[in-house]
Amino acid sequence: MVYKIRVIPKHERIEQISSCCSATTDRAAFYEYQNSVQQLPVIRIPIELPIYRMANGRTRTEQLKYIRLHQCSATFFSNGQENQDAQQAQHELLDAFSKEGTTSIMPIAKVLEEGKQTEPILITSSGVVVNGNRRLSAMRELYAAGDSKYSEFTHINCMVLPASASDKEIKEIEVRLQMQPETKLAYTWVNEALTIKDLMQSGFTRDEITRDMRKDIREVMAMLQALGHAEVYLKDWRGQPEDYELVERGKQLFGDMARDLKDKVGEHLEISRRIAFLIQDNSSSLGTRAYAFNFSFGKKAPDVAEALASRLGVDLNQPPPPSSDKDEQLAIDIDDESEGSSYKPLIDVMDDQSRREEVTQELIAVCESIRASEQDQKRGQAALKAVKDANTKLLEVDFSNADPDTYGAIDAQLESILLTTQKLKAEIARMRAGARTSTAPGI
């Protein structure tokens, strides 16, 4: 990291950009503003002139992490768009992102090592970057390295939005350019969900969000529900609000929670949440098994809870003692869902930090036992399924269009099927006889 940010005062940026716009005749078609094709001016300005947009969805969770690590004010980034220290911190975050890629997508920084800017950066009339923040950070770092190969980066090409562009329109543009399914480098699931939440809080309608993101409303709402569960996990379960790094790898689990817990209320919701939270706590040690445990907080949650209570010696049929106001637990909306039975005693044990390790080990044992039982049941039904499938295939046979040349082969196959059927019937008859013998009372 060698580039040092120098924030040019806003009024100077506006004057320089306005002057360049007046002088240029270059125009480029832009399709993501006000739902119509706009011919925007393309200008060339010094690389130090633009500033990064702090309300950047891609860097949202990294900003929160930076604030925690450096003990900054909660508004360090949100109020720091004109602040040199905040801009420098944002540059570092963006530079790291510019070096990221996938097996099919080359990192932006690598592409720019050729020494050429391939497309203009989109900025506001005051020089705030709307699209191209990562590209700008990469070009600045390459330029600061001092290699003559990157001398072209003393100035950069920018496409300028009208001064009348509103904050809402700028947010729309970011969503349309950065968060659609075909985006060059996808947002993390948390940043995407946080952006949806922010858009809703900013007054965007569901129709506007789904249109701009090209997502189904059910997918959007499911993402918000998954984020809601993740935020409860961080704030109430872990006591680490906004530490989204802890849930970045939990997309599948929190997505499953959104699906499986949407119709649960009261104690049924709370016990299912805690089961899921324990799995998330131990997802690293469980490895690939973690996903296989997600059944435990869905339809199987009552079975898991009862088995867990039994292993822990918790009586679910006794009325729980009144809770103390000092209990530091997740808020529980308790309904009278079952007479004389309550998950509250088990919930209290799960909330007891001193027993968390014990509860976790017993929960894993319960889940392993249920999984093994289900696998045994599937194996026990395998023969019946194979016979049913074979019968279905035979019932689907239609000779009306069969080629006469295949009659001989068909007849041979049917003979083989008859022989196989007779052998299978004889085998099952022997097994039935053996079962009767083994269960007959002794003489």
Side-chain angles (χ1 to χ4, degrees):
M1 194 77 59
V2 293
Y3 188 84
K4 298 300 180 185
I5 296 289
R6 181 174 73 89
V7 175
I8 296 171
K10 183 176 180 178
H11 70 277
E12 292 184 20
R13 298 199 308 269
I14 292 174
E15 288 177 5
Q16 286 192 51
I17 292 169
S18 176
S19 176
C20 289
C21 287
S22 298
T24 187
T25 57
D26 290 343
R27 293 288 187 276
F30 186 65
Y31 297 88
E32 306 298 348
Y33 177 58
Q34 295 187 342
N35 297 315
S36 62
V37 181
Q38 304 282 334
Q39 296 295 327
L40 300 183
V42 178
I43 62 176
R44 190 161 176 77
I45 57 176
I47 195 169
E48 67 269 15
L49 188 63
I51 61 172
Y52 301 116
R53 181 169 174 266
M54 292 301 183
N56 185 301
R58 192 184 300 278
T59 58
R60 178 74 175 273
T61 55
E62 289 301 313
Q63 287 177 346
L64 293 170
K65 180 180 177 181
Y66 185 96
I67 287 171
R68 288 194 306 276
L69 292 177
H70 295 83
Q71 299 182 335
C72 303
S73 162
T75 60
F76 177 73
F77 287 101
S78 58
N79 291 346
Q81 193 144 279
E82 299 292 331
N83 178 276
Q84 197 148 293
D85 290 338
Q87 281 286 325
Q88 185 70 49
Q90 184 73 352
H91 173 76
E92 293 173 11
L93 300 181
L94 289 164
D95 180 55
F97 275 117
S98 77
K99 294 177 172 62
E100 290 185 0
T102 68
T103 54
S104 59
I105 301 173
M106 185 179 294
I108 284 177
K110 194 72 176 176
V111 174
L112 289 166
E113 285 180 3
E114 295 299 319
K116 294 187 180 299
Q117 181 183 0
T118 57
E119 59 180 300
I121 286 171
L122 182 66
I123 63 173
T124 67
S125 59
S126 62
V128 179
V129 179
V130 178
N131 189 49
N133 284 278
R134 288 179 298 152
R135 280 180 282 144
L136 176 59
S137 68
M139 286 189 288
R140 281 175 164 174
E141 282 298 312
L142 291 170
Y143 168 67
D147 192 326
S148 60
K149 180 180 180 180
Y150 308 117
S151 59
E152 182 182 317
F153 292 156
T154 56
H155 289 69
I156 55 173
N157 300 324
C158 297
M159 186 162 47
V160 186
L161 288 166
S164 58
S166 66
D167 287 342
K168 181 178 181 180
E169 288 170 331
I170 289 171
K171 286 182 180 179
E172 281 184 336
I173 291 168
E174 180 189 8
V175 170
R176 291 178 178 180
L177 293 177
Q178 293 288 326
M179 298 185 66
Q180 293 172 358
E182 65 272 18
T183 184
K184 293 178 181 177
L185 186 62
Y187 278 38
T188 65
W189 82 268
V190 174
N191 279 333
E192 192 169 9
L194 285 170
T195 299
I196 293 171
K197 180 180 177 181
D198 178 62
L199 291 174
M200 285 192 164
Q201 292 176 342
S202 300
F204 280 71
T205 67
R206 292 181 181 185
D207 287 343
E208 288 173 329
I209 294 171
T210 54
R211 177 200 66 202
D212 293 340
M213 297 183 71
R214 298 183 188 174
K215 290 183 182 293
D216 183 271
I217 185 61
R218 290 169 296 183
E219 184 180 0
V220 169
M221 298 312 296
M223 290 185 69
L224 284 176
Q225 290 164 0
L227 178 65
H229 289 302
E231 290 182 331
V232 171
Y233 169 76
L234 292 173
K235 180 176 181 292
D236 296 330
W237 184 257
R238 295 293 296 263
Q240 295 172 269
E242 297 190 332
D243 193 353
Y244 292 106
E245 186 178 14
L246 296 175
V247 297
E248 285 287 10
R249 296 178 182 273
K251 180 180 180 180
Q252 182 71 54
L253 181 137
F254 291 106
D256 286 351
M257 287 182 72
R259 181 195 64 207
D260 294 339
L261 274 59
K262 63 181 179 182
D263 295 324
K264 295 189 178 188
V265 296
E267 290 185 354
H268 288 283
L269 171 62
E270 295 305 328
I271 197 70
S272 295
R273 268 183 172 169
R274 284 161 174 77
I275 292 170
F277 291 168
L278 283 171
I279 293 171
Q280 174 62 22
D281 282 348
N282 295 275
S283 57
S284 296
S285 60
L286 289 172
T288 56
R289 292 188 299 161
Y291 170 73
F293 283 3
N294 285 8
F295 71 88
S296 62
F297 52 79
K299 292 180 180 179
K300 290 285 184 181
D303 296 337
V304 172
E306 289 178 14
L308 180 61
S310 177
R311 294 180 73 101
L312 292 169
V314 177
D315 187 354
L316 300 181
N317 294 312
Q318 294 296 321
S323 60
S324 167
D325 292 338
K326 296 180 181 179
D327 289 345
E328 294 182 1
Q329 300 173 346
L330 279 69
I332 304 173
D333 178 18
I334 299 178
D335 296 333
D336 264 338
E337 291 150 334
S338 52
E339 189 114 5
S341 177
S342 172
Y343 288 130
K344 182 64 165 59
L346 180 58
I347 288 171
D348 288 342
V349 171
M350 297 176 84
D351 285 345
D352 185 346
Q353 290 283 352
S354 67
R355 299 191 66 179
R356 188 65 55 82
E357 180 63 28
E358 174 195 3
V359 173
T360 297
Q361 294 306 315
E362 296 296 350
L363 175 62
I364 292 173
V366 167
C367 291
E368 293 282 19
S369 176
I370 291 176
R371 281 185 64 210
S373 176
E374 289 183 339
Q375 288 169 356
D376 287 344
Q377 186 177 5
K378 286 180 180 178
R379 284 192 288 267
Q381 297 290 316
L384 175 60
K385 183 178 183 302
V387 171
K388 280 184 174 180
D389 290 345
N391 187 48
T392 299
K393 289 293 184 183
L394 287 172
L395 291 173
E396 292 173 353
V397 174
D398 180 6
F399 289 136
S400 60
N401 295 314
D403 186 336
D405 291 341
T406 65
Y407 289 170
I410 291 173
D411 193 50
Q413 289 294 321
L414 290 174
E415 284 294 331
S416 176
I417 291 169
L418 284 171
L419 287 173
T420 301
T421 302
Q422 290 169 358
K423 288 179 181 178
L424 291 173
K425 284 177 68 64
E427 184 178 348
I428 200 167
R430 285 196 300 273
M431 293 180 70
R432 277 176 171 164
R436 284 195 295 269
T437 302
S438 63
T439 57
I443 298 175

